[in-house]
């Protein structure tokens, strides 16, 4: 029997969400699906406790290890992260795709590749001096948590001509501080989490809204990378990010570009986006020596129409697929499951 596992951080049933994966698994001829958390995996006994679907709903039960697993979970607890690493290092549990690591690791992996021209100047924030050095060079920077997601925890930071500092966390208004107070705030931040510093580039439109581009890349049933969605996201007024969970909106990429650029500039931008989208997954798999099944790629288009890589997400949200209708949404959920079936059929389940 071929059993598909869905590993998640959610301990309580999420029927509608899980049913999407179950439907996709049925379409790909999996015999069953089991949803489980990392803590429910018993590596010594080679079994898991998870949820399976029956006539009355999702019921918890114990099962042997699944044939292959799609990991959709977000994990912040250190003990859970250690357990996830143990599970993924165990050859008895093959995964559809593996992890990229934090933002700094991804940046370092791409520095010596053909992707380098698309990378923004970036530095690890070990001390407040690192931040002020970047600010002196670029005047305005973005300070990002190494393991952040959804735009949370990002700070726009700049030094003004009068030597005061402007400090704006994501989702909040900006504040001006004396340099000494700003340094104290930054020091407190670095004591709690690890951050990187990235040059800020002006990606605001004529309405002063922050914009970026989300590209959803997925492997299909033939093991080939495809572009499943391309959208431009508009941030809420006054917001420093354009994340949809922070109140942003989105529209198909070509429609959004047509509102801001002439035909010639649109073509040049789309050419850059396509070149980066086609090249990036293959480069990542080569430098990491691992397989991936889907990537959420965030790009920026500056006021000179140059495209920059902001970040890469290994577990991208699929909300942008709603722009293209229910069939696109269903296809987006099905793609990783099609790739899982491909791996089993081609006996490519080793990392």
């Amino acid at each position: 029997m071929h059993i598909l596992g869905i590993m998640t951080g959610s301990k309580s049933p999420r029927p509608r969400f899980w049913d999407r994966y179950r439907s996709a698994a049925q379409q790909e001829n999996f015999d069953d699906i089991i949803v489980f958390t990392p803590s429910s995996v018993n590596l010594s006994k080679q079994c898991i406790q998870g949820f399976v679907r029956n006539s009355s709903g999702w019921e918890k039960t114990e099962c042997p290890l699944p044939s292959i697993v799609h990991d959709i979970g977000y994990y912040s607890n250190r003990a859970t992260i250690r357990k996830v690493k143990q599970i993924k290092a165990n050859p008895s549990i093959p995964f559809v795709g593996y992890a990229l690591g934090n933002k700094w690791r991804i940046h370092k992996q791409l520095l010596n590749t053909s992707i380098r021209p698309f990378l923004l100047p970036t530095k690890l924030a070990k001390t407040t001096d690192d931040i002020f050095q970047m600010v002196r060079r670029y005047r305005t920077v973005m300070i990002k948590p190494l393991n952040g997601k959804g735009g949370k925890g990002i700070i726009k930071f700049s030094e003004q001509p009068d030597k005061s500092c402007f400090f704006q966390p994501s989702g909040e208004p900006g504040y001006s501080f004396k340099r000494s107070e700003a340094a104290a705030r930054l020091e407190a931040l670095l004591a709690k989490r690890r951050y990187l510093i990235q040059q800020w580039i002006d990606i605001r439109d004529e309405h002063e809204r922050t914009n970026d581009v989300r590209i959803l890349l997925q492997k299909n049933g033939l093991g080939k990378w495809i572009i499943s969605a391309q959208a431009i996201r508009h941030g809420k007024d006054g917001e420093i990010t354009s994340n949809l969970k922070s109140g942003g909106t989105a529209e198909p990429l070509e429609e959004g570009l047509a509102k801001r650029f002439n035909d010639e500039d649109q073509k040049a931008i789309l050419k850059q986006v396509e070149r980066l989208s086609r090249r990036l997954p293959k480069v990542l798999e080569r430098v990491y020596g691992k397989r991936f099944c889907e990537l959420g790629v965030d790009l920026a288009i500056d006021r000179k129409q140059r495209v920059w890589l902001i970040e890469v997400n290994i577990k991208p949200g699929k909300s942008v697929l709603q722009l293209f209708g229910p069939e696109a949404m269903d296809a987006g959920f099905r793609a990783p499951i099609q790739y899982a079936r491909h791996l089993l059929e081609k006996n490519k389940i080793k990392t």
Side-chain angles (χ1 to χ4, degrees), residues 68 70 171 228 244 269:
I68 193 166
H70 181 36
S228 296
L244 301 184
I269 291 168

Side-chain angles (χ1 to χ4, degrees), residues 1-5 25 28-32 66-69 92-96 221 291 336-350:
M1 290 181 67
H2 283 158
I3 307 298
L4 174 69
E28 297 306 315
N29 297 316
F30 279 91
D31 296 292
D32 208 346
S67 308
I68 193 166
V69 177
S92 300
I93 313 178
F95 280 77
V96 183
R291 63 169 175 261
I337 313 308
Q338 290 176 316
Y339 181 48
R341 167 55 68 180
H342 166 78
L343 290 172
L344 290 174
E345 288 180 348
K346 299 298 181 181
N347 196 28
K348 295 182 178 180
I349 57 173
K350 294 181 180 180

